[in-house]
């Protein structure tokens, strides 16, 4: 049994250990992300009984980006069912960058994972919606339900992404050609862009993770967000591709399902116990936050959370 004092101490220690680390660089291919203060650094752990423990800039909002893929995948699994989702999206690592076209070419156009851009757009397209606004409403609502507060799109950021997302648009058309796009491809790409442009705090992200750790029930609001049976599928997808080409290294060293975003956020889930989130904009070459990885690794080790520990 891990005590509140141990969690609080681990969070504070991880923040102190890594606050001076200046390695990595902000994502610059989305202009608005290049402008975020690289010194920001927040850490938070949230338990399955709804307690949160934070340090640093944990209340500062940042762009959810690819972490949105987790919640849209959860919604698509709920709506399509786990078997259909598995067949239409996949659950294998791509072994390539998050926006790789080569990965599609190598796998007969199957995206393989909802945690890369291609599979995320497929997942977005799988949501049963009447139009683009309804699709956007549903993906933002599931994010809000996971966080336990209303999450909103940052219009300026969305505009910055929309003005530069040609590569993602190309992927959406390739998915249509290959038979892995289930709505209008530009609608799926637009809604995917919007779901990436929502703003969360590190505390929000920890609560979102704690909802998964807690079997799909938000531990702060008490609301069931997804079925318990679907949580394991979402966590498996995170394990396989949550940190892109570093996913295997992460499993080897930390042993927890996790997901990163190019906004600098990262969260990891210790099922039945808690979630750890961290935010710091500078990224490594794989597109994962340098300090967020370091902080979460340290906390997971200190609290003995690795799933493969015996
Ligand atoms: N919106 C970003 C993109 O589509 C998200 C990528 C990420 O966070 N890895 O490129």
């Amino acid at each position: 049994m891990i005590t509140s004092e141990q969690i609080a101490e681990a969070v504070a220690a991880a923040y102190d250990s890594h606050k001076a680390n200046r390695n990595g660089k902000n994502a610059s291919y989305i202009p608005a992300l290049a402008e975020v203060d690289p010194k920001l650094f927040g850490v938070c752990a949230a338990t399955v009984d709804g307690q949160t423990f934070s340090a640093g800039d944990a209340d500062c909002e940042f762009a959810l980006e690819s972490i949105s893929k987790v919640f849209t995948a959860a919604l698509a699994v709920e709506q399509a069912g786990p078997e259909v989702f598995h067949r239409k999206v996949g659950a294998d690592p791509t072994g390539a960058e998050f926006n790789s076209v080569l990965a599609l070419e190598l796998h007969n156009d199957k995206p393989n994972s909802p945690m890369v851009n291609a599979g995320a757009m497929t997942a977005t397209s799988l949501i049963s919606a009447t139009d683009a606004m309804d699709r956007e409403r549903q993906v933002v609502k599931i994010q809000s339900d996971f966080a336990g507060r209303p999450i909103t799109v940052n219009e300026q950021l969305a505009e910055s992404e929309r003005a530069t997302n040609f590569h993602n648009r190309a992927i959406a058309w390739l998915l249509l050609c290959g038979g892995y796009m289930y709505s209008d491809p530009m609608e799926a790409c637009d809604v995917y862009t919007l779901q990436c442009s929502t703003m969360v705090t590190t505390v929000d992200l920890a609560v979102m993770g704690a909802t998964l750790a807690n079997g799909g029930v938000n531990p702060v609001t008490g609301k069931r967000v997804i079925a318990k049976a679907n949580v394991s599928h979402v966590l498996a997808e995170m394990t396989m591709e949550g940190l892109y080409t570093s996913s295997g290294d992460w499993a080897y060293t930390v042993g927890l399902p996790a997901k990163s975003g190019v906004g600098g956020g990262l969260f990891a889930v210790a099922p039945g116990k808690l979630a750890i989130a961290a935010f710091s904009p500078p990224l490594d070459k794989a597109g994962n936050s340098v300090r967020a990885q370091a902080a979460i690794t340290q906390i997971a080790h200190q609290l003995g959370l690795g799933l493969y520990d015996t």
Side-chain angles (χ1 to χ4, degrees):
M1 176 58 188
I2 304 167
T3 65
S4 303
E5 290 71 30
Q6 285 170 320
I7 302 171
E9 202 277 315
V11 167
Y15 176 77
D16 284 342
S17 303
H18 304 290
K19 66 170 184 258
N21 186 339
R22 291 284 170 271
N23 294 331
K25 275 183 71 177
N26 283 32
S28 56
Y29 74 101
I30 297 170
L33 296 182
E35 289 159 20
V36 180
D37 180 357
K39 291 194 288 304
L40 290 169
F41 181 35
V43 185
C44 181
T47 62
V48 292
D49 57 7
Q51 297 181 73
T52 56
F53 306 87
S54 13
D57 304 307
D59 290 320
C60 169
E61 287 197 329
F62 60 91
L64 189 59
E65 294 300 336
S66 265
I67 302 170
S68 67
K69 290 165 173 155
V70 172
F71 311 107
T72 299
L75 181 61
V77 172
E78 289 275 298
Q79 292 191 359
E83 290 78 22
V84 170
F85 185 85
H86 196 186
R87 182 159 40 81
K88 294 191 168 180
V89 185
D92 280 318
T94 64
E97 281 121 52
F98 60 77
N99 60 358
S100 176
V101 170
L102 185 63
L104 283 178
E105 293 282 320
L106 288 173
H107 303 111
N108 292 321
D109 290 324
K110 186 166 182 179
N112 269 22
S113 168
M115 301 297 146
V116 294
N117 293 10
M121 287 188 278
T122 302
T124 305
S125 80
L126 270 175
I127 287 159
S128 150
T130 50
D131 56 18
M133 260 172 67
D134 181 39
R135 197 177 302 278
E136 177 192 349
R137 184 190 57 74
Q138 293 187 60
V139 298
V140 175
K141 177 171 188 301
I142 192 105
Q143 291 181 12
S144 305
D145 288 347
F146 267 101
R149 75 164 182 103
I151 299 296
T152 54
V153 172
N154 176 335
E155 291 300 340
Q156 222 181 331
L157 172 64
E159 201 35 58
S160 177
E161 298 217 18
R162 223 182 266 124
T164 51
N165 70 352
F166 308 111
H167 194 93
N168 286 342
R169 288 190 227 174
I171 290 173
W173 285 115
L174 288 174
L175 289 165
L176 181 74
C177 276
Y180 289 99
M181 176 52 68
Y182 306 100
S183 71
D184 175 85
M186 290 304 95
E187 178 177 323
C189 184
D190 271 352
V191 173
Y192 164 76
T193 303
L194 288 165
Q195 79 184 36
C196 287
S197 306
T198 57
M199 302 297 281
V200 297
T201 67
T202 310
V203 177
D204 290 330
L205 195 52
V207 173
M208 292 164 110
T211 301
L212 289 168
N214 194 35
V217 174
N218 183 311
V220 176
T221 62
K223 179 175 174 174
R224 173 159 296 286
V225 181
I226 62 167
K228 189 174 162 85
N230 288 333
V231 172
S232 57
H233 301 302
V234 175
L235 295 179
E237 298 279 16
M238 290 167 64
T239 303
M240 288 297 129
E241 186 64 76
L243 279 86
Y244 313 116
T245 51
S246 303
S247 303
D249 299 321
W250 180 263
Y252 191 97
T253 53
V254 183
L256 292 176
K259 184 74 196 87
S260 66
V262 290
L266 174 68
F267 80 113
V269 178
K273 296 179 181 150
L274 53 89
I276 315 161
F279 155 64
S280 164
L283 310 177
D284 65 12
K285 286 213 166 61
N288 302 312
S289 167
V290 173
R291 285 195 292 188
Q293 288 178 86
I296 293 177
T297 301
Q298 180 170 326
I299 296 168
H301 287 169
Q302 190 170 326
L303 298 179
L305 294 172
L307 289 185
Y308 312 123
D309 297 350
T310 53

